[in-house]
Amino acid sequence: DPDSVAQAKSETLDDRVDTLSRGFLALTVSCARCHDHKFDPIPTLDYYSLAGVFNNTRTIQDKKSPLHTLAEAGNRDMKVALRGDLRKPGEVAPRRFLRILAGADAKRFTKGSGRLELANAIADADNPLTARVLVNRVWLHHFGKALVRTPNNFGKLGEKPTHPKLLDWLAATFVENGW
């Protein structure tokens, strides 16, 4: 059934975008799947820029173990799915990092699926979120309360850090020491 296949693909892509964006950036990017994010400046086009990376990635079952690995499956940009429906294609969403972090003229991902370029953008020292998100999670693990009490949401609806200067210092020190 084509509708079931489209729905399953849509859910898989959304799960990957959501896991990546909450886990490393503490942003609720999947809110932009069907419409521009209502609270944070994340347009639908940027959601599909990330989804396009995962759309060009396939999962392979390792025959010798229960592990799965990811492999390249193409290098095409994805079209925006109007109102989140993959059967209703809109404009092309170039594979690139979120413009809220990379700027209005964010570099397009052109190498394979874009996974490596995406990983580099996430771990870039100029990215203001990743180091803060990671040290916040470590702080939460060690002390039971995070410096940002909403560790999966640093956006407008998330809480402000209890100690912003400490969070900044920890993040800078973390990056300076090789992550």
Side-chain angles (χ1 to χ4, degrees), residues 47-59:
Y47 171 91
Y48 287 96
S49 292
L50 294 182
V53 172
F54 296 113
N55 196 42
N56 285 290
T57 305
R58 61 192 170 95
T59 305

Side-chain angles (χ1 to χ4, degrees), residues 15-173:
D15 183 54
R16 290 178 178 175
V17 169
D18 190 47
T19 300
L20 172 101
S21 63
R22 285 181 192 259
F24 290 104
L25 304 172
L27 291 175
T28 56
V29 174
S30 69
C31 291
R33 175 179 171 184
C34 301
H35 50 77
D36 291 348
H37 198 295
K38 291 185 188 277
F39 302 103
D40 297 323
I42 303 168
T44 303
L45 187 68
D46 283 9
Y47 171 91
Y48 287 96
S49 292
L50 294 182
V53 172
F54 296 113
N55 196 42
N56 285 290
T57 305
R58 61 192 170 95
T59 305
I60 300 172
Q61 170 72 50
D62 187 326
K63 294 176 183 172
K64 297 176 183 174
S65 76
L67 300 177
H68 290 83
T69 57
L70 297 178
E72 301 289 313
N75 63 354
R76 291 183 301 272
D77 291 332
M78 188 173 179
K79 290 186 176 182
V80 169
L82 300 178
R83 292 178 299 286
D85 187 345
L86 290 174
R87 297 167 302 164
K88 296 178 182 174
E91 68 181 301
V92 172
R95 288 168 294 130
R96 62 183 173 200
F97 199 43
L98 299 171
R99 290 175 289 170
I100 185 177
L101 297 171
D105 54 343
K107 254 178 59 175
R108 293 178 73 142
F109 298 158
T110 59
K111 297 175 185 147
S113 67
R115 283 185 301 140
L116 180 58
E117 292 161 296
L118 176 57
N120 288 334
I122 290 169
D124 191 311
D126 290 334
N127 174 351
L129 288 180
T130 305
R132 285 174 177 80
V133 169
L134 294 177
V135 298
N136 190 59
R137 291 186 189 288
V138 170
W139 190 275
L140 171 63
H141 176 74
H142 282 293
F143 300 108
K145 286 188 178 179
L147 294 169
V148 177
R149 302 286 199 241
T150 52
N152 291 327
N153 188 354
F154 279 26
K156 283 193 179 183
L157 293 182
E159 292 186 29
K160 301 288 182 222
T162 56
H163 297 81
K165 289 182 180 179
L166 174 60
L167 181 63
D168 289 346
W169 180 81
L170 289 169
T173 303

